[in-house]
């Protein structure tokens, strides 16, 4: 399965991912009838032979697997049960009524839909980061949940569009999205797009942070962990004010103060959105800003402790090591895995 944008470098394609082992194992676990294994084997062979550009499992570039009894089959469970795509993957599986009692796997290909949009602002947000505003017009109506993202490309000649989380909260602006872009080889074209320039933007994708569904009245505290440009979707979550009524602790990690975006917004996050913000810097060589700490966010949150693990929810976005280490430490402390959310 494609990894989420936060798990790969800007410009790195999801097409580089490979057929999951669980998929192949599930194919051959269907022992009821030979034709099921044969049909699924054909699908696997096609998946290996064709580029993942064609077969990538996303909400809009989707080979839709339609199979009889899909929702309970090992194949469905392997594809969606533990998939990072979650509900988006399940929505791609439909039960087909067969003419006879047999299961048939059908692959349907679809292309992303892109719209030409204008960059209305492009300014430095921090060292190595650009804050870019794009007028997306009617595309904004599809943005409902903080943490969702879009694909962007320079034009249709660009083979591998980038994945970019939306930094502004839903409905913050009627027709514009903000993006926090880290400059890399894959995103330099976007960082260098001047105000008035045009880019192509896909429809809004991904499930986002489903805390409105997952965090009921039993969740009293929400811990938010962000590193680097991963603050973008979490900024949207905090500014949406959907977490109001719960105690919110944001641990925001950067290498140095100069590489930390949105510092001017921190007082507003605390006053208007009810969040307590703890900045963490891993490479500080001078005095720390007031209230900040030296080190990593996953260490800082454990130093502060978890008062009621069973009543705690967590939102993540950042580098893989941070997410992995934080999940392990929080789960060991008693936080339930189902209460730890990422935006994909």
């Amino acid at each position: 399965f494609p990894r989420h944008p936060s798990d790969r470098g800007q410009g790195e394609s999801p097409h580089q991912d490979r057929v999951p082992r669980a998929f192949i194992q599930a194919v051959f676990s269907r022992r009821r009838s030979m034709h099921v294994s044969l049909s699924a084997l054909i699908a696997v062979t096609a998946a290996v032979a064709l580029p993942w550009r064609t077969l990538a499992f996303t909400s809009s570039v989707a080979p839709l697997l339609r199979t009889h009894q899909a929702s309970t089959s090992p194949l469905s469970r392997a594809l969606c049960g533990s998939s990072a795509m979650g509900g988006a993957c399940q929505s791609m599986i439909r039960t087909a009524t067969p003419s006879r009692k047999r299961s048939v796997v059908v692959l349907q290909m679809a292309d992303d839909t892109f719209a030409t949009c204008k960059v209305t602002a492009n300014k430095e947000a921090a060292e190595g980061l650009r804050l870019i505003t794009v007028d997306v017009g009617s595309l904004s109506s599809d943005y409902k949940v903080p943490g969702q993202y879009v694909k962007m490309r320079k034009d249709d000649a660009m083979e591998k569009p980038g994945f970019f989380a939306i930094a502004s909260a839903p409905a913050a602006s009627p027709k514009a999205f903000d993006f926090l872009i880290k400059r890399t080889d894959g995103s330099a074209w976007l960082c260098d797009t001047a105000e008035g320039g045009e880019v192509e933007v896909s429809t809004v994708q991904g499930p986002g942070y489903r805390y409105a569904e997952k965090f009921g009245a039993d969740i009293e505290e929400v811990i938010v962990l962000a590193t680097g440009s991963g603050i973008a979707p979490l900024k949207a979550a905090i500014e949406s004010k959907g977490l109001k009524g719960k105690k919110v602790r944001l641990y925001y990690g950067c290498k140095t103060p100069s590489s930390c975006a949105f510092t001017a917004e921190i007082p507003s996050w605390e006053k208007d959105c009810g969040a307590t913000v703890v900045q963490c810097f891993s490479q500080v060589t001078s005095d720390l800003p007031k209230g900040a700490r030296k080190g990593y966010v996953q260490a800082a949150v454990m130093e502060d402790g978890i008062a009621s693990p069973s009543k705690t929810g967590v939102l993540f976005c950042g580098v893989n090591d941070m997410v992995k280490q934080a999940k392990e430490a929080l789960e060991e402390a008693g936080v339930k895995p189902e209460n730890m959310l990422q935006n994909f």
Side-chain angles (χ1 to χ4, degrees):
F1 280 91
R3 293 163 289 158
H4 184 260
S6 66
D7 292 337
R8 62 168 70 90
Q10 296 278 8
E12 181 185 345
S13 171
H15 316 146
Q16 296 171 355
D17 297 326
R18 295 292 181 262
V19 179
R21 180 176 298 178
F23 177 88
I24 297 174
Q25 290 174 338
V27 167
F28 293 101
S29 71
R30 298 291 298 272
R31 299 173 181 172
R32 294 181 181 177
S33 58
M34 180 64 75
H35 65 266
V36 173
S37 294
L38 180 59
S39 298
L41 178 59
I42 292 171
V44 173
T45 304
V48 173
L50 293 174
W52 277 103
R53 178 186 180 190
T54 306
L55 294 173
F57 283 82
T58 69
S59 57
S60 58
V61 181
L64 306 184
L65 280 170
R66 299 187 301 171
T67 129
H68 182 51
Q69 297 179 336
S71 62
T72 59
S73 71
L75 179 60
S76 172
R77 291 196 298 271
L79 285 171
C80 299
S82 60
S83 166
M85 296 302 291
C89 177
Q90 287 287 0
S91 69
M92 288 186 261
I93 297 185
R94 300 289 184 267
T95 300
T97 303
S99 57
R100 287 180 289 178
K101 293 183 178 180
R102 63 176 63 183
S103 297
V104 180
V105 176
V106 179
L107 294 180
Q108 295 179 330
M109 310 305 169
D111 293 325
D112 275 314
T113 299
F114 285 86
T116 300
C117 302
K118 185 172 290 188
V119 173
T120 58
N122 184 342
K123 59 185 180 181
E124 185 178 38
E127 186 178 300
L129 297 170
R130 305 294 300 182
L131 179 60
I132 297 176
T133 303
V134 180
D135 182 348
V136 297
S138 61
L139 292 177
S140 63
S141 63
D142 294 329
Y143 179 33
K144 306 293 186 183
V145 183
Q148 290 181 297
Y149 59 91
V150 299
K151 296 178 185 178
M152 278 196 281
R153 65 187 185 187
K154 188 174 183 179
D155 51 41
D156 59 7
M158 188 173 181
E159 183 180 357
K160 301 175 182 179
F163 292 68
F164 302 98
I166 303 167
S168 45
S173 177
K175 293 185 178 181
F177 289 163
D178 289 337
F179 300 94
L180 182 65
I181 310 298
K182 180 179 179 180
R183 179 180 286 275
T184 66
D185 290 343
S187 66
W189 68 271
L190 181 55
C191 292
D192 293 335
T193 301
E195 182 178 332
E198 292 184 338
V199 297
E200 294 191 355
V201 182
S202 75
T203 51
V204 175
Q205 301 182 14
Y209 292 110
R210 297 286 188 179
Y211 49 78
E213 301 171 11
K214 301 288 186 178
F215 295 168
D218 58 316
I219 299 298
E220 298 175 353
E221 180 176 38
V222 178
I223 294 171
V224 183
L225 300 174
T227 57
S229 58
I231 189 63
L234 294 169
K235 169 183 177 291
I238 290 172
E239 292 180 353
S240 71
K241 300 183 180 179
L243 296 170
K244 271 205 151 185
K246 302 183 186 297
K247 180 181 178 181
V248 178
R249 283 190 279 163
L250 167 62
Y251 293 83
Y252 179 17
C254 301
K255 291 180 179 179
T256 63
S258 63
S259 64
C260 194
F262 304 128
T263 53
E265 279 79 1
I266 289 177
S268 174
W269 295 346
E270 294 187 319
K271 180 181 178 182
D272 300 330
C273 304
T276 298
V277 181
V278 178
Q279 291 182 274
C280 301
F281 300 105
S282 60
Q283 298 180 13
V284 175
T285 56
S286 58
D287 293 336
L288 290 168
K290 184 178 179 180
R293 302 187 198 175
K294 184 174 182 179
Y296 298 97
V297 295
Q298 61 269 36
V301 70
M302 298 315 297
E303 287 171 3
D304 290 345
I306 312 297
S308 300
S310 64
K311 299 179 180 180
T312 299
V314 187
L315 306 180
F316 301 97
C317 192
V319 295
N320 287 339
D321 284 348
M322 180 277 286
V323 174
K324 180 176 181 294
Q325 292 172 21
K327 278 185 175 180
E328 291 173 352
L330 289 164
E331 188 171 352
E332 187 175 343
V335 179
K336 297 176 182 178
E338 59 267 30
N339 290 336
M340 294 189 276
L341 308 181
Q342 292 177 265
N343 61 322
F344 55 90

